[in-house]
Amino acid sequence: MGALLWLLIPVGAGLIAAVWSSWALRNRKTGDVAELAGYARFRDAMEREHSVPVPDPASDPA
């Protein structure tokens, strides 16, 4: 009975490795598309002109 118990350790490790490898090799194309779209929105926001005027410190009367 003890030998069968020791045999469960490598079998369990093999099952865990199989589950992990299937999770690691999953198709993740949707994440890249969403990240690229977010980066494009960020670039557009950074290229836009700001509507709030920034005060010039040289023209400050104080």
Side-chain angles (χ1 to χ4, degrees):
M1 188 64 178
L4 290 177
L5 189 60
W6 277 102
L7 184 61
L8 286 178
I9 294 172
V11 170
L15 290 174
I16 291 172
V19 169
W20 177 82
S21 66
S22 66
W23 177 78
L25 294 174
R26 70 190 187 281
N27 190 357
R28 291 182 271 182
K29 290 188 178 187
T30 58
D32 291 340
V33 172
E35 287 180 22
L36 289 174
Y39 179 66
R41 286 193 309 270
F42 170 75
R43 261 193 355 237
D44 291 341
M46 294 305 288
E47 290 175 357
R48 267 188 250 136
E49 293 290 327
H50 296 289
S51 61
V52 177
V54 178
D56 187 15
S59 65
D60 192 15

